Amino acid sequence: MAEQRPAGRNGVGGGRAIRVGTRRSQLARIQTDSVVEMLQEFYPDLRFEIIAMSTIGDKILDTALSKIGEKNLFTKELENALERNEVDLVVHSLKDLPTSLPPGFTIGAICKRENPLDAVVFHPKNCGKTLSLLPEKSVIGTSSLRRAAQLKKKFPQLEFRDIRGNLNTRLKKLDEKEDFSAIILAAAGLKRMGWENRIGQLLSPEDCLYAVGQGALAVEVRAKDQETLNMVSTLHDGETVLCCIAERAFMKRLEGGCSVPVAVNTMLKDGQLYLTGAVYSLDGSESLKETMQTSVNYPQQPYFDVCTCRMKMDQMMMCSMLASQPRTSLLRPRKLQRTLALNWLIYC
Protein backbone atom coordinates (compact mmCIF):
# COMPACT_ATOMS: atom_id res chain seq x y z
CA MET A 1 0.00 0.00 0.00
CA ALA A 2 1.31 3.42 -0.94
CA GLU A 3 2.49 5.74 1.84
CA GLN A 4 0.05 8.57 2.51
CA ARG A 5 0.67 12.08 3.80
CA PRO A 6 -1.79 14.95 4.16
CA ALA A 7 -1.74 16.74 0.82
CA GLY A 8 -0.67 20.36 0.68
CA ARG A 9 -0.99 22.70 -2.25
CA ASN A 10 -0.11 20.89 -5.51
CA GLY A 11 -1.11 17.69 -3.72
CA VAL A 12 2.33 17.21 -2.18
CA GLY A 13 3.93 17.64 1.19
CA GLY A 14 1.22 18.39 3.74
CA GLY A 15 2.87 21.61 4.94
CA ARG A 16 6.05 20.05 6.37
CA ALA A 17 9.50 20.22 4.85
CA ILE A 18 10.46 17.69 2.19
CA ARG A 19 13.69 16.14 3.47
CA VAL A 20 16.38 15.67 0.82
CA GLY A 21 19.35 13.38 1.48
CA THR A 22 22.78 14.00 0.00
CA ARG A 23 26.48 13.39 0.54
CA ARG A 24 28.47 16.01 2.41
CA SER A 25 30.92 16.95 -0.34
CA GLN A 26 30.76 20.39 -1.89
CA LEU A 27 29.93 18.94 -5.31
CA ALA A 28 27.14 16.78 -3.89
CA ARG A 29 25.65 19.80 -2.13
CA ILE A 30 25.81 21.89 -5.31
CA GLN A 31 24.10 19.11 -7.27
CA THR A 32 21.42 18.68 -4.62
CA ASP A 33 20.85 22.42 -4.41
CA SER A 34 20.24 22.47 -8.17
CA VAL A 35 17.62 19.71 -7.88
CA VAL A 36 15.91 21.45 -4.98
CA GLU A 37 15.86 24.72 -6.95
CA MET A 38 14.11 22.96 -9.84
CA LEU A 39 11.58 21.40 -7.49
CA GLN A 40 11.01 24.76 -5.81
CA GLU A 41 10.14 26.27 -9.19
CA PHE A 42 7.47 23.60 -9.73
CA TYR A 43 6.25 23.69 -6.12
CA PRO A 44 6.84 27.22 -4.74
CA ASP A 45 4.71 26.59 -1.64
CA LEU A 46 6.78 23.63 -0.45
CA ARG A 47 9.71 23.79 1.95
CA PHE A 48 12.80 21.65 1.44
CA GLU A 49 15.35 20.60 4.06
CA ILE A 50 18.70 19.22 2.92
CA ILE A 51 20.22 16.52 5.14
CA ALA A 52 23.88 15.74 4.39
CA MET A 53 25.74 12.61 5.44
CA SER A 54 29.00 10.77 4.75
CA THR A 55 29.13 7.46 2.89
CA ILE A 56 31.58 4.56 2.94
CA GLY A 57 33.25 5.92 -0.18
CA ASP A 58 33.70 9.31 1.49
CA LYS A 59 35.31 7.79 4.58
CA ILE A 60 37.74 5.27 3.05
CA LEU A 61 40.26 7.39 1.18
CA ASP A 62 43.40 5.26 1.43
CA THR A 63 42.14 2.40 -0.75
CA ALA A 64 41.32 2.27 -4.45
CA LEU A 65 37.57 2.12 -5.11
CA SER A 66 37.98 -1.14 -7.00
CA LYS A 67 39.53 -2.82 -3.94
CA ILE A 68 36.92 -1.86 -1.35
CA GLY A 69 34.52 -4.53 -2.64
CA GLU A 70 31.21 -2.65 -2.38
CA LYS A 71 28.96 -1.58 -5.24
CA ASN A 72 27.06 0.96 -3.14
CA LEU A 73 30.06 2.88 -1.84
CA PHE A 74 28.42 6.27 -2.21
CA THR A 75 24.77 5.32 -1.68
CA LYS A 76 24.34 2.86 1.22
CA GLU A 77 24.05 5.38 4.07
CA LEU A 78 21.68 7.53 2.02
CA GLU A 79 19.45 4.54 1.26
CA ASN A 80 19.49 3.53 4.93
CA ALA A 81 18.17 6.98 5.83
CA LEU A 82 15.52 6.65 3.12
CA GLU A 83 14.46 3.27 4.48
CA ARG A 84 14.16 4.69 8.02
CA ASN A 85 11.99 7.56 6.75
CA GLU A 86 14.64 10.07 7.83
CA VAL A 87 14.60 11.57 4.34
CA ASP A 88 11.94 11.62 1.61
CA LEU A 89 14.24 11.51 -1.40
CA VAL A 90 17.92 11.26 -2.18
CA VAL A 91 19.96 12.98 -4.90
CA HIS A 92 22.76 10.92 -6.47
CA SER A 93 25.23 11.20 -9.26
CA LEU A 94 23.68 8.50 -11.44
CA LYS A 95 27.05 6.89 -12.11
CA ASP A 96 27.36 6.16 -8.35
CA LEU A 97 24.01 4.36 -8.22
CA PRO A 98 24.17 0.55 -8.65
CA THR A 99 22.03 -0.87 -11.45
CA SER A 100 20.16 -3.09 -8.95
CA LEU A 101 18.49 -1.06 -6.22
CA PRO A 102 17.51 -2.47 -2.81
CA PRO A 103 13.92 -3.72 -2.54
CA GLY A 104 11.42 -0.93 -1.97
CA PHE A 105 13.43 1.79 -3.75
CA THR A 106 13.14 3.21 -7.24
CA ILE A 107 14.60 6.01 -9.33
CA GLY A 108 11.87 8.63 -9.45
CA ALA A 109 13.59 10.99 -11.88
CA ILE A 110 16.69 11.52 -13.98
CA CYS A 111 17.52 15.16 -14.62
CA LYS A 112 18.95 16.67 -17.80
CA ARG A 113 22.47 15.46 -18.33
CA GLU A 114 25.52 17.68 -18.14
CA ASN A 115 28.49 17.02 -20.46
CA PRO A 116 29.31 13.31 -19.85
CA LEU A 117 32.89 13.45 -21.17
CA ASP A 118 36.06 13.07 -19.13
CA ALA A 119 38.40 16.01 -18.77
CA VAL A 120 42.12 16.41 -18.14
CA VAL A 121 43.28 18.92 -15.53
CA PHE A 122 46.99 19.64 -15.80
CA HIS A 123 49.55 20.60 -13.18
CA PRO A 124 50.23 24.37 -13.48
CA LYS A 125 53.64 23.65 -15.01
CA ASN A 126 51.94 21.74 -17.85
CA CYS A 127 49.30 24.31 -18.77
CA GLY A 128 48.71 24.45 -22.52
CA LYS A 129 49.76 20.86 -23.11
CA THR A 130 47.71 17.77 -23.98
CA LEU A 131 48.26 14.19 -22.84
CA SER A 132 50.10 13.39 -26.06
CA LEU A 133 52.56 16.24 -25.41
CA LEU A 134 53.51 15.27 -21.85
CA PRO A 135 57.01 13.85 -21.33
CA GLU A 136 57.41 10.08 -21.25
CA LYS A 137 56.72 8.51 -17.83
CA SER A 138 54.55 11.45 -16.77
CA VAL A 139 52.18 10.33 -14.00
CA ILE A 140 48.43 10.77 -14.51
CA GLY A 141 46.09 10.49 -11.55
CA THR A 142 42.72 8.75 -11.75
CA SER A 143 40.57 6.69 -9.36
CA SER A 144 38.82 4.98 -12.30
CA LEU A 145 39.84 1.62 -13.76
CA ARG A 146 37.78 2.54 -16.83
CA ARG A 147 39.78 5.68 -17.52
CA ALA A 148 43.12 4.04 -16.77
CA ALA A 149 42.45 1.02 -19.00
CA GLN A 150 41.51 3.11 -22.02
CA LEU A 151 44.21 5.73 -21.61
CA LYS A 152 46.98 3.17 -21.01
CA LYS A 153 46.26 1.80 -24.45
CA LYS A 154 45.97 5.24 -26.06
CA PHE A 155 49.01 6.74 -24.29
CA PRO A 156 51.38 3.85 -23.44
CA GLN A 157 54.21 6.29 -22.71
CA LEU A 158 52.37 7.64 -19.66
CA GLU A 159 51.98 6.13 -16.20
CA PHE A 160 48.68 6.00 -14.33
CA ARG A 161 48.35 6.10 -10.57
CA ASP A 162 45.37 6.02 -8.22
CA ILE A 163 44.24 9.28 -6.63
CA ARG A 164 41.36 9.47 -4.12
CA GLY A 165 39.36 12.23 -2.48
CA ASN A 166 36.68 14.69 -3.51
CA LEU A 167 37.29 17.19 -6.30
CA ASN A 168 38.76 19.78 -3.95
CA THR A 169 41.18 17.25 -2.45
CA ARG A 170 42.33 15.88 -5.78
CA LEU A 171 42.93 19.32 -7.25
CA LYS A 172 44.91 20.28 -4.14
CA LYS A 173 47.05 17.14 -4.51
CA LEU A 174 47.68 18.06 -8.14
CA ASP A 175 48.52 21.72 -7.61
CA GLU A 176 50.53 21.61 -4.39
CA LYS A 177 52.70 18.57 -5.06
CA GLU A 178 54.83 17.23 -7.90
CA ASP A 179 53.33 13.72 -7.79
CA PHE A 180 51.07 14.13 -10.82
CA SER A 181 51.47 15.80 -14.20
CA ALA A 182 47.70 15.76 -14.68
CA ILE A 183 44.54 14.15 -13.33
CA ILE A 184 41.41 12.90 -15.08
CA LEU A 185 38.02 14.09 -13.80
CA ALA A 186 34.44 14.23 -15.04
CA ALA A 187 33.81 17.43 -16.98
CA ALA A 188 30.32 17.65 -15.44
CA GLY A 189 31.66 17.92 -11.90
CA LEU A 190 34.17 20.59 -12.84
CA LYS A 191 31.47 22.64 -14.54
CA ARG A 192 29.06 22.35 -11.62
CA MET A 193 31.82 23.49 -9.27
CA GLY A 194 32.51 26.49 -11.50
CA TRP A 195 35.97 25.23 -12.44
CA GLU A 196 35.61 24.90 -16.20
CA ASN A 197 38.71 27.06 -16.59
CA ARG A 198 40.78 24.18 -15.16
CA ILE A 199 39.86 21.88 -18.06
CA GLY A 200 42.96 21.61 -20.20
CA GLN A 201 41.67 18.88 -22.52
CA LEU A 202 38.30 17.24 -23.11
CA LEU A 203 38.61 13.56 -23.95
CA SER A 204 36.44 12.63 -26.92
CA PRO A 205 34.70 9.23 -27.04
CA GLU A 206 37.44 8.16 -29.48
CA ASP A 207 39.98 8.75 -26.70
CA CYS A 208 37.96 7.64 -23.68
CA LEU A 209 34.40 6.36 -23.49
CA TYR A 210 32.66 7.65 -20.38
CA ALA A 211 31.07 5.92 -17.38
CA VAL A 212 27.49 4.67 -17.34
CA GLY A 213 25.26 7.55 -16.26
CA GLN A 214 28.12 10.06 -16.07
CA GLY A 215 26.93 13.66 -15.98
CA ALA A 216 23.35 12.81 -14.98
CA LEU A 217 21.66 13.29 -11.60
CA ALA A 218 19.15 10.77 -10.25
CA VAL A 219 16.50 11.14 -7.56
CA GLU A 220 15.90 7.96 -5.55
CA VAL A 221 12.68 7.53 -3.57
CA ARG A 222 10.67 4.86 -1.76
CA ALA A 223 8.74 2.92 -4.39
CA LYS A 224 5.44 3.17 -2.48
CA ASP A 225 5.71 6.89 -1.75
CA GLN A 226 3.32 7.96 -4.50
CA GLU A 227 3.27 11.65 -3.58
CA THR A 228 7.04 12.00 -3.76
CA LEU A 229 7.10 10.02 -7.01
CA ASN A 230 4.53 12.42 -8.45
CA MET A 231 6.54 15.41 -7.28
CA VAL A 232 9.97 14.42 -8.57
CA SER A 233 8.67 13.10 -11.92
CA THR A 234 8.50 16.73 -13.08
CA LEU A 235 12.33 16.62 -13.25
CA HIS A 236 12.47 13.92 -15.95
CA ASP A 237 14.46 14.73 -19.08
CA GLY A 238 13.32 12.38 -21.85
CA GLU A 239 16.52 12.22 -23.87
CA THR A 240 18.68 11.71 -20.79
CA VAL A 241 16.40 8.94 -19.50
CA LEU A 242 16.54 7.00 -22.76
CA CYS A 243 20.32 7.23 -23.00
CA CYS A 244 20.88 6.33 -19.36
CA ILE A 245 18.45 3.41 -19.33
CA ALA A 246 20.32 1.89 -22.27
CA GLU A 247 23.66 2.42 -20.50
CA ARG A 248 22.43 0.96 -17.22
CA ALA A 249 20.95 -2.07 -18.98
CA PHE A 250 24.33 -2.68 -20.61
CA MET A 251 26.10 -2.36 -17.24
CA LYS A 252 23.59 -4.60 -15.48
CA ARG A 253 24.01 -7.35 -18.08
CA LEU A 254 27.78 -7.30 -17.52
CA GLU A 255 27.36 -7.08 -13.73
CA GLY A 256 29.84 -4.25 -13.81
CA GLY A 257 30.77 -1.69 -11.16
CA CYS A 258 33.83 0.15 -9.87
CA SER A 259 35.91 -3.02 -10.25
CA VAL A 260 35.17 -3.55 -13.95
CA PRO A 261 36.39 -1.26 -16.78
CA VAL A 262 33.03 -0.82 -18.55
CA ALA A 263 32.52 2.25 -20.73
CA VAL A 264 29.82 3.69 -22.98
CA ASN A 265 28.83 6.44 -25.36
CA THR A 266 25.17 7.06 -26.25
CA MET A 267 23.54 9.41 -28.70
CA LEU A 268 20.01 10.20 -29.86
CA LYS A 269 19.79 11.45 -33.42
CA ASP A 270 16.90 11.53 -35.90
CA GLY A 271 14.82 9.07 -33.90
CA GLN A 272 17.71 6.62 -33.52
CA LEU A 273 19.36 5.65 -30.26
CA TYR A 274 23.01 4.63 -30.64
CA LEU A 275 24.83 2.86 -27.81
CA THR A 276 28.52 2.12 -28.01
CA GLY A 277 29.60 -0.20 -25.23
CA ALA A 278 33.03 -1.51 -24.34
CA VAL A 279 34.74 -3.74 -21.78
CA TYR A 280 38.49 -3.58 -21.17
CA SER A 281 41.16 -5.63 -19.49
CA LEU A 282 42.75 -3.81 -16.56
CA ASP A 283 45.84 -2.88 -18.57
CA GLY A 284 43.80 -1.90 -21.62
CA SER A 285 45.55 -4.41 -23.87
CA GLU A 286 42.33 -6.33 -24.61
CA SER A 287 38.85 -5.01 -25.25
CA LEU A 288 35.45 -5.69 -26.77
CA LYS A 289 33.72 -2.69 -28.31
CA GLU A 290 30.63 -2.49 -30.50
CA THR A 291 27.78 -0.10 -31.34
CA MET A 292 24.10 -1.03 -31.16
CA GLN A 293 21.20 0.93 -32.63
CA THR A 294 17.42 1.09 -32.29
CA SER A 295 14.55 3.34 -33.36
CA VAL A 296 12.89 5.20 -30.49
CA ASN A 297 9.95 7.48 -29.91
CA TYR A 298 9.49 9.31 -26.65
CA PRO A 299 7.30 12.13 -25.33
CA GLN A 300 8.83 15.58 -25.66
CA GLN A 301 8.58 18.25 -22.98
CA PRO A 302 6.24 19.59 -21.71
CA TYR A 303 4.31 16.32 -22.00
CA PHE A 304 7.02 14.25 -20.37
CA ASP A 305 5.54 14.36 -16.86
CA VAL A 306 3.52 12.36 -14.41
CA CYS A 307 0.26 13.00 -16.30
CA THR A 308 1.65 11.15 -19.30
CA CYS A 309 4.12 8.55 -18.05
CA ARG A 310 6.03 7.12 -15.14
CA MET A 311 9.56 5.81 -15.39
CA LYS A 312 10.58 2.73 -13.41
CA MET A 313 14.27 2.21 -14.05
CA ASP A 314 14.55 -0.75 -11.71
CA GLN A 315 11.85 -2.65 -13.62
CA MET A 316 13.17 -2.01 -17.09
CA MET A 317 12.33 -4.68 -19.62
CA MET A 318 15.46 -3.85 -21.55
CA CYS A 319 17.49 -5.85 -19.06
CA SER A 320 15.43 -8.99 -19.52
CA MET A 321 15.86 -8.87 -23.28
CA LEU A 322 19.61 -8.34 -22.97
CA ALA A 323 19.78 -11.15 -20.43
CA SER A 324 18.39 -13.56 -23.00
CA GLN A 325 21.49 -13.08 -25.13
CA PRO A 326 24.56 -15.24 -24.53
CA ARG A 327 27.19 -13.25 -22.64
CA THR A 328 29.74 -13.81 -25.39
CA SER A 329 27.41 -12.29 -27.98
CA LEU A 330 26.57 -9.14 -26.04
CA LEU A 331 28.98 -6.90 -27.85
CA ARG A 332 28.43 -8.27 -31.34
CA PRO A 333 26.84 -5.82 -33.80
CA ARG A 334 23.09 -6.15 -33.97
CA LYS A 335 20.05 -3.96 -34.21
CA LEU A 336 18.10 -3.93 -30.94
CA GLN A 337 14.36 -4.32 -31.02
CA ARG A 338 12.39 -1.13 -30.77
CA THR A 339 10.79 -2.22 -27.51
CA LEU A 340 14.12 -2.04 -25.66
CA ALA A 341 14.02 1.71 -25.19
CA LEU A 342 10.26 1.97 -24.77
CA ASN A 343 9.39 -0.57 -22.07
CA TRP A 344 10.31 1.81 -19.25
CA LEU A 345 7.26 3.95 -20.06
CA ILE A 346 4.17 3.22 -17.98
CA TYR A 347 1.20 5.20 -19.25
CA CYS A 348 -1.50 6.37 -16.84
Side-chain angles (χ1 to χ4, degrees), residues 137-311:
K137 302 296 184 182
S138 292
V139 177
I140 311 301
T142 176
S143 60
S144 165
L145 294 179
R146 170 190 58 83
R147 291 167 179 155
Q150 293 181 83
L151 296 176
K152 283 177 182 177
K153 186 174 183 178
K154 185 79 174 180
F155 304 100
Q157 76 279 15
L158 302 178
E159 296 183 359
F160 294 85
R161 189 179 303 165
D162 190 68
I163 182 171
R164 289 292 315 282
N166 57 38
L167 281 183
N168 311 59
T169 301
R170 280 179 278 178
L171 285 172
K172 187 175 182 180
K173 289 179 179 179
L174 173 68
D175 292 340
E176 297 182 1
K177 299 181 179 181
E178 298 291 328
D179 296 343
F180 299 99
S181 297
I183 59 177
I184 314 296
L185 301 169
L190 290 166
K191 181 174 181 179
R192 288 174 179 141
M193 291 285 281
W195 296 339
E196 281 184 283
N197 63 322
R198 291 303 308 269
I199 298 177
Q201 180 181 1
L202 272 178
L203 296 175
S204 70
E206 288 72 31
D207 290 327
C208 189
L209 297 176
Y210 46 80
V212 167
Q214 184 158 302
L217 301 181
V219 181
E220 187 178 14
V221 302
R222 292 182 291 274
K224 293 183 179 180
D225 188 349
Q226 195 63 48
E227 290 181 0
T228 302
L229 276 167
N230 290 350
M231 176 181 65
V232 302
S233 66
T234 58
L235 303 177
H236 282 313
D237 178 76
E239 182 170 334
T240 301
V241 169
L242 281 174
C243 289
C244 289
I245 196 174
E247 295 171 12
R248 286 173 65 81
F250 175 70
M251 171 76 89
K252 186 168 185 175
R253 173 62 182 131
L254 294 179
E255 300 177 359
C258 293
S259 60
V260 183
V262 175
V264 296
N265 177 49
T266 52
M267 179 177 63
L268 269 173
K269 183 178 180 182
D270 300 328
Q272 297 290 311
L273 173 64
Y274 301 88
L275 166 66
T276 298
V279 187
Y280 299 87
S281 60
L282 293 180
D283 63 1
S285 61
E286 297 182 85
S287 64
L288 288 171
K289 178 181 177 181
E290 290 294 347
T291 298
M292 297 174 281
Q293 173 187 350
T294 185
S295 299
V296 294
N297 292 311
Y298 64 95
Q300 300 283 347
Q301 265 80 356
Y303 306 106
F304 195 82
D305 58 27
V306 71
C307 297
T308 304
C309 60
R310 173 73 38 72
M311 184 274 293

Side-chain angles (χ1 to χ4, degrees), residues 14 27 32 55 80 95 113 121 162-163 169 199 203 208 222 225 248 299 323 325 327 330 332-333 338 345-346:
L27 176 59
T32 301
T55 64
N80 288 344
K95 71 175 183 176
R113 192 177 214 167
V121 179
D162 190 68
I163 182 171
T169 301
I199 298 177
L203 296 175
C208 189
R222 292 182 291 274
D225 188 349
R248 286 173 65 81
Q325 299 296 324
R327 186 177 295 262
L330 180 63
R332 292 174 186 166
R338 181 176 182 176
L345 289 176
I346 300 176

Side-chain angles (χ1 to χ4, degrees), residues 110-149:
I110 297 180
C111 307
K112 186 175 178 60
R113 192 177 214 167
E114 188 51 81
N115 187 341
L117 299 180
D118 289 311
V120 187
V121 179
F122 292 92
H123 188 282
K125 68 181 181 182
N126 293 317
C127 282
K129 293 183 179 180
T130 62
L131 289 179
S132 61
L133 295 177
L134 290 175
E136 189 172 348
K137 302 296 184 182
S138 292
V139 177
I140 311 301
T142 176
S143 60
S144 165
L145 294 179
R146 170 190 58 83
R147 291 167 179 155

Side-chain angles (χ1 to χ4, degrees), residues 321-332:
M321 186 276 177
L322 284 174
S324 68
Q325 299 296 324
R327 186 177 295 262
T328 55
S329 72
L330 180 63
L331 290 174
R332 292 174 186 166

